[in-house]
Amino acid sequence: MSYDETLAARLRQVLPLREDLTELKMFGGLAFMLDGKMFIGIVRDELMVRVGAERYDEALSRPHVRPMDFTGRPMKGYVFVTPEGHRDVGAIAEWVDWSMEVAAALPRKKPAKARPRNPRV
């Protein structure tokens, strides 16, 4: 599973230049993190957007939006936006603004605990 490179380039054009914004390949796609918290990404040719649990139903009421589902159970607070819903840069910018706002409001992530390299020792 790979991701749409053209969509990735369009998304990068909209994203602000910030030190706390990073890009990471995951799920066979591409994810963008704000201070270590995933807020938007690409899976195949769809945007994966963190919309928050409070506005999840609102996001689903929009055209070309469906629940994000990797495992057979939808992940509340995240949606997929099909290509018809992100054809223009304005639509992408709207999803970016929404998802960055949600991620910025989340509590700061705690650093991961170091795991031993060899758990048998």
Side-chain angles (χ1 to χ4, degrees):
M1 177 171 39
S2 63
Y3 60 90
D4 182 335
E5 293 283 353
T6 302
L7 177 55
R10 290 172 46 221
L11 185 54
R12 288 183 191 108
Q13 287 178 334
V14 173
L15 290 168
L17 294 175
R18 296 174 53 147
E19 278 189 32
D20 59 350
L21 198 147
T22 55
E23 184 176 315
L24 182 62
K25 288 185 179 182
M26 57 188 335
F27 317 122
L30 188 63
F32 291 88
M33 317 287 270
L34 181 63
D35 197 25
K37 298 169 277 193
M38 183 171 58
F39 68 97
I40 201 162
I42 304 168
V43 177
R44 291 185 218 75
D45 62 350
E46 296 184 315
L47 277 180
M48 173 185 61
V49 184
R50 185 178 213 154
V51 295
E54 299 80 18
R55 295 182 65 193
Y56 181 69
D57 291 333
E58 176 188 345
L60 287 176
S61 72
R62 293 185 175 206
H64 315 297
V65 176
R66 65 183 180 85
M68 186 177 111
D69 179 1
F70 280 119
T71 63
R73 269 188 12 191
M75 240 178 118
K76 194 159 185 164
Y78 288 87
V79 296
F80 281 133
V81 181
T82 65
E84 297 81 13
H86 60 70
R87 291 219 185 277
D88 64 74
V89 175
I92 294 171
E94 186 178 343
W95 289 115
V96 165
D97 290 346
W98 184 342
S99 59
M100 285 186 77
E101 183 180 311
V102 170
L106 295 171
R108 209 159 166 65
K109 285 187 80 161
K110 295 178 185 174
K113 290 183 180 180
R115 291 187 286 169
R117 298 193 99 189
N118 186 351
R120 292 182 223 151
V121 175

